[in-house]
Amino acid sequence: MTDQYAVIGNPIGHTKSPLIHGLFAEETQQDMVYTAIEGLLEPDEAFADTVRAFVAAGGKGMNVTAPFKLKAFAIADERSERAELAGAVNAMKFEDGRIVAENFDGIGLVRDIEVNLGLPMAGKRVLILGAGGAARGALLPFLSARPAEMVIANRDVTKGRALAAKVGARGPLLACGYGDLEAMGRFDLVVNATSASLTGELPPVPPRVFSPEGTAYELAYGKRLTPFLRLARNAGVRTVADGVGMLVEQAAEAFDWWRGVRPQTRAVIDRLTVALD
Ligand code: NDP
């Protein structure tokens, strides 16, 4: 029987995952289908019921998107360290009646920056804005890339501090509020991991954090020049990028995890890229 995979979210109409995994399957000649499932928001157990029904029907794996990443975390039998730290799951594998959970968002982001954009993070000053699921997922992969210093700024400073306390032993990580950034000098890489761009807002980041030779990376994608990327451009930043490469790279990680074969990503990224200007 053809192996079944799916992405689950609500709403799900916008998802690019079936297209991405369909292209990966074609390229690597895998016998699989990948569909999109709109999960029910209520009752509370609806998510778990939908996942179990998918497994019972022969499902092998699932991607998870908003708002179910925490529910996927809760129903998992086994979680990777990355998923544990993120407190969120974006990929599941169903094995011998068990749900094994992963979070590939952060590793996809690091791959896009280091491999696709050609910007190694080792020895660099890195600033992450936001302390939600995406920022949490990025922390361990970022620290593994050995930056000289990493700062996490969030409106709710307690969230950033809790993260720094949790993973501070893994590398040079500091948490602060936006007001503290004025005195912190320039960063080589500034990553907007807030959800501000989804509503056309700008996190209160001072322009002086940007370095003209540096990079500004927006996790949201397909939104052209967001207020954050515009601010970076106006500050003279040479390299600005959105999260389409991260989206495709996290999908490639999941595909490899499920199928044991790594797909090419360049052509898929090019196909999904919306020009910033
Ligand atoms: P969460 O809801 O978990 O976290 C949102 C974060 O944004 C919080 O830290 C919140 O701060 C902050 N925030 C929200 N609005 C503002 C604002 N106006 N100013 C400053 N900070 C703000 O979201 P996620 O972490 O799941 O997603 C974050 C972004 O990453 C989204 O744009 C999402 O689309 C994108 N994303 C992209 C992916 C890709 O593959 N390219 C994958 C996953 C996510 P506070 O805690 O103070 O409320």
Side-chain angles (χ1 to χ4, degrees):
M1 194 173 104
T2 301
D3 291 339
Q4 313 277 325
Y5 295 87
V7 57
I8 184 166
N10 186 323
I12 200 64
H14 65 284
T15 186
K16 307 279 185 229
S17 295
L19 171 63
I20 295 171
H21 284 279
L23 292 168
F24 287 167
E26 200 177 293
E27 186 234 323
T28 57
Q29 303 192 326
Q30 296 291 298
D31 183 17
M32 59 183 276
V33 289
Y34 188 109
T35 52
I37 297 174
E38 184 155 282
L40 293 176
L41 299 174
E42 287 176 24
D44 203 37
E45 60 276 14
F47 175 76
D49 290 347
T50 306
V51 172
R52 292 204 179 96
F54 184 72
V55 178
K60 300 274 190 222
M62 259 186 175
N63 281 125
V64 184
T65 187
F68 298 125
K69 289 184 179 182
L70 304 186
K71 285 199 166 176
F73 182 88
I75 66 166
D77 297 301
E78 201 181 305
R79 306 177 192 106
S80 70
E81 192 187 17
R82 285 187 291 249
E84 285 286 353
L85 180 70
V89 157
N90 91 324
M92 296 186 287
K93 180 152 73 170
F94 310 123
E95 270 177 351
D96 308 324
R98 291 170 62 74
I99 299 176
V100 184
E102 256 291 4
N103 188 317
F104 292 121
D105 283 337
I107 199 160
L109 171 59
V110 170
R111 244 189 111 80
D112 193 39
I113 293 170
E114 294 210 310
V115 180
N116 299 334
L117 299 178
L119 301 163
M121 267 187 253
K124 300 283 166 53
R125 293 193 82 215
V126 177
L127 170 62
I128 299 188
L129 310 176
R136 289 199 301 270
L139 287 185
L140 281 188
F142 267 36
L143 288 173
S144 301
R146 307 180 67 77
E149 186 186 354
M150 211 165 111
V151 175
I152 183 159
N154 199 43
R155 289 184 307 197
D156 178 350
V157 187
T158 57
K159 277 193 202 169
R161 292 215 175 107
L163 285 174
K166 209 166 171 183
V167 291
R170 301 295 191 92
L173 176 64
L174 185 92
C176 69
Y178 283 96
D180 303 317
L181 292 174
E182 287 282 357
M184 286 195 175
R186 290 174 167 177
F187 290 84
D188 303 297
L189 170 66
V190 183
V191 177
N192 184 13
T194 75
S195 52
S197 302
L198 300 182
T199 47
E201 290 170 54
L202 177 67
V205 55
R208 66 170 57 189
V209 299
F210 295 107
S211 159
E213 296 78 35
T215 301
Y217 193 104
E218 167 75 74
L219 258 58
Y221 51 87
K223 301 204 164 291
R224 298 188 180 272
L225 218 49
T226 61
F228 167 76
L229 291 179
R230 195 176 298 278
L231 183 78
R233 272 263 179 91
N234 291 343
V237 175
R238 194 164 47 199
T239 309
V240 296
D242 76 4
V244 67
M246 169 185 178
L247 174 74
V248 176
E249 291 297 341
Q250 65 75 28
E253 292 292 328
F255 192 93
D256 191 355
W257 186 52
W258 290 329
R259 308 298 302 181
V261 50
R262 196 175 172 89
Q264 301 287 324
T265 52
R266 186 69 263 167
V268 182
I269 294 172
D270 289 346
R271 181 156 166 178
L272 293 180
T273 294
V274 174
L276 293 178
D277 295 294

